[in-house]
């Protein structure tokens, strides 16, 4: 990010954000997050092409965005709904996110910047409808083009079993959109770190299980004969869900073993999420390092198109070191005034070891998200 000097006054920055937010909401889909699946009592694959969630929205996901998520739908009642399908064989989609961030770090100049944070395009070709497909997720902004997912997927006749091969996101924990969440950072399993291998999965209305075997190099070239095995399984009911994850990565530079549990609960108009993960790193020539990460999140959908998100993150990267833990508090308002557009305004505060300035920063931000 670019540092501006002289640094802005906090009250001026806050006012700027509020003005920008007002302008943005004059003229939605809430981004795909697990709390939406919890609120509807569905599997993540109900709205997404990827069996574990994330990535391109399928036909139901697009219709859901227009008919249930947005505060209102622009256009006439006779206008057709966008489903993402182009003819019988092809489906497309995309996301573009941009906004403004203000970061106040102790003993450093404040950061104030507008930025284009991410642009992605999706394409899925149904070579054999409902049986064999080829899928590509390509990031084109903010920097050079980068492939995030590219795989071939084979499904059985009833769609409950699938086999995938190529590059994809690993199955582990809650597939949160926020890669800065501590449970996403500590495990290293997030939207910036796909891997190459194969995945097999089974899913029905209540159960969902995915098992993958990959190189364990984050999409890079294989360096040894070790492999990474990751599995996630969850049981889904209309008002709650419970899941567990395991991951092991065998490498010459050191092994990593991870385990975690997660759950979702709906109480009225509030959807709760929680996850706890345990990470053990084998460090050659040294003792193993054990760390834990956790998340508690509440989403209050108090009106159609409006969601208040409150979350608490916890990270202890090394349990053998006293007072190295970090916590993060977040408060966001997500507003979806009409279909295929979302605005977010939020604040986060970090609290960590006092000698580490970056772990004690405050953030204010606004984000606009368009998609199809």
């Amino acid at each position: 990010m670019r540092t501006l000097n002289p640094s802005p006054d906090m009250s001026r920055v806050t006012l700027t954000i509020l003005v920008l937010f007002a302008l943005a909401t004059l003229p939605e889909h809430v981004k795909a997050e697990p709390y939406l699946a919890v609120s509807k009592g569905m599997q993540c694959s109900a709205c997404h092409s990827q069996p574990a969630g994330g990535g391109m929205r399928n036909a139901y996901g697009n219709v859901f965005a227009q008919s249930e998520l947005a505060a209102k739908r622009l256009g006439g009642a006779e206008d057709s709904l966008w489903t993402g399908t182009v003819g019988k064989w092809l489906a497309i989609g995309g996301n573009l996110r941009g906004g403004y961030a203000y970061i106040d770090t102790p003993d450093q100049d404040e950061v104030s910047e507008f930025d284009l944070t991410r642009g992605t395009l999706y394409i899925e070709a149904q070579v054999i409808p409902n049986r064999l497909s080829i899928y590509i997720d390509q990031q084109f902004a903010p920097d050079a083009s980068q492939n995030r997912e590219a795989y071939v997927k084979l499904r059985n006749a009833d769609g409950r079993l699938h086999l995938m091969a190529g590059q994809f996101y690993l199955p582990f924990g809650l597939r949160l959109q926020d890669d800065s969440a501590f449970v996403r950072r500590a495990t290293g399993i997030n939207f910036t770190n796909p891997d190459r291998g194969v995945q097999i999965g089974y899913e029905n209305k209540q159960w969902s299980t995915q098992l993958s075997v990959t190189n364990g190099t984050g999409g890079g070239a294989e360096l040894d004969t070790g492999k990474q095995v990751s599995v996630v399984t969850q049981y889904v009911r209309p008002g709650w869900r419970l899941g567990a994850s395991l991951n092991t990565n065998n490498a010459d530079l050191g092994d990593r073993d991870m385990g975690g549990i997660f759950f979702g609960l709906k109480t009225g108009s509030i959807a709760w999420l929680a996850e706890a993960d345990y990470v053990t790193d084998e460090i050659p020539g040294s003792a193993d390092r054990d760390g834990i990460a956790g998340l508690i999140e509440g989403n209050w959908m108090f009106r159609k198109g409006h969601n208040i998100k409150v979350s608490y993150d916890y990270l202890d990267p090394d349990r053998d070191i006293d007072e190295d833990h970090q916590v993060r508090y977040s408060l966001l308002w997500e507003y979806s005034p009409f279909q295929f557009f979302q605005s977010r305004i939020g604040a986060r505060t970090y609290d960590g070891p006092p000698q580490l300035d970056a772990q004690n920063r405050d953030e204010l931000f606004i984000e606009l998200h368009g998609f199809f």
Side-chain angles (χ1 to χ4, degrees), residues 103-123:
I103 303 175
D104 183 13
T105 303
D107 301 319
Q108 298 181 23
D109 290 338
E110 293 93 338
V111 171
S112 174
E113 185 181 48
F114 294 97
D115 200 7
L116 174 62
T117 55
R118 179 167 295 174
T120 54
L121 289 174
Y122 314 115
I123 183 169

Side-chain angles (χ1 to χ4, degrees), residues 41-55:
M42 303 182 301
Q43 301 281 8
C44 293
S45 62
C47 289
H48 292 273
S49 296
Q50 231 281 17

Side-chain angles (χ1 to χ4, degrees), residues 89-292:
W89 311 98
L90 198 65
I92 61 174
N95 287 282
L96 189 64
R97 304 176 190 275
Y100 171 83
Y102 171 85
I103 303 175
D104 183 13
T105 303
D107 301 319
Q108 298 181 23
D109 290 338
E110 293 93 338
V111 171
S112 174
E113 185 181 48
F114 294 97
D115 200 7
L116 174 62
T117 55
R118 179 167 295 174
T120 54
L121 289 174
Y122 314 115
I123 183 169
E124 183 172 30
Q126 294 284 344
V127 182
I128 304 176
N130 301 317
R131 297 297 297 273
L132 180 64
S133 62
I134 297 174
Y135 176 78
I136 297 174
D137 174 344
Q138 191 75 18
Q139 180 174 320
F140 63 86
D143 300 312
S145 180
Q146 177 184 358
N147 179 251
R148 305 202 306 169
E149 289 192 296
Y151 57 79
V152 56
K153 180 173 65 177
L154 177 65
R155 302 172 65 186
N156 71 336
D158 64 11
R160 294 188 178 187
L161 288 171
H162 77 266
L163 175 66
M164 290 167 37
Q167 179 166 290
F168 48 84
Y169 304 124
L170 297 180
F172 191 95
L174 293 167
R175 188 153 285 181
L176 301 169
Q177 185 276 334
D178 179 18
D179 278 342
S180 68
F182 289 170
V183 292
R184 302 281 277 174
R185 283 176 41 199
T187 61
I189 297 180
N190 50 56
F191 288 123
T192 64
N193 196 26
D195 207 2
R196 297 173 183 173
V198 296
Q199 176 178 296
I200 187 170
Y202 170 81
E203 185 171 278
N204 59 26
K205 189 174 181 180
Q206 285 79 39
W207 286 99
S208 174
T209 300
Q210 290 87 38
L211 169 67
S212 69
V213 181
T214 60
N215 289 330
T217 59
E222 180 61 279
L223 303 175
D224 51 41
T225 59
K227 291 294 178 281
Q228 180 171 212
V229 178
S230 185
V231 60
V232 62
T233 186
Q234 64 176 323
Y235 180 68
V236 176
R237 300 297 296 170
W240 60 275
R241 66 191 58 211
L242 179 65
S245 308
L246 292 173
N247 176 281
T248 182
N249 191 2
N250 180 257
D252 290 347
L253 296 178
D255 297 342
R256 165 171 276 204
D257 297 307
M258 302 188 297
I261 59 173
F262 58 91
F263 79 90
L265 177 67
K266 182 181 179 182
T267 57
S269 59
I270 300 177
W272 300 93
L273 299 173
E275 180 174 340
D277 298 317
Y278 195 93
V279 181
T280 298
D281 287 312
E282 178 188 281
I283 304 174
S286 181
D288 292 351
R289 182 176 63 193
D290 298 325
I292 57 174

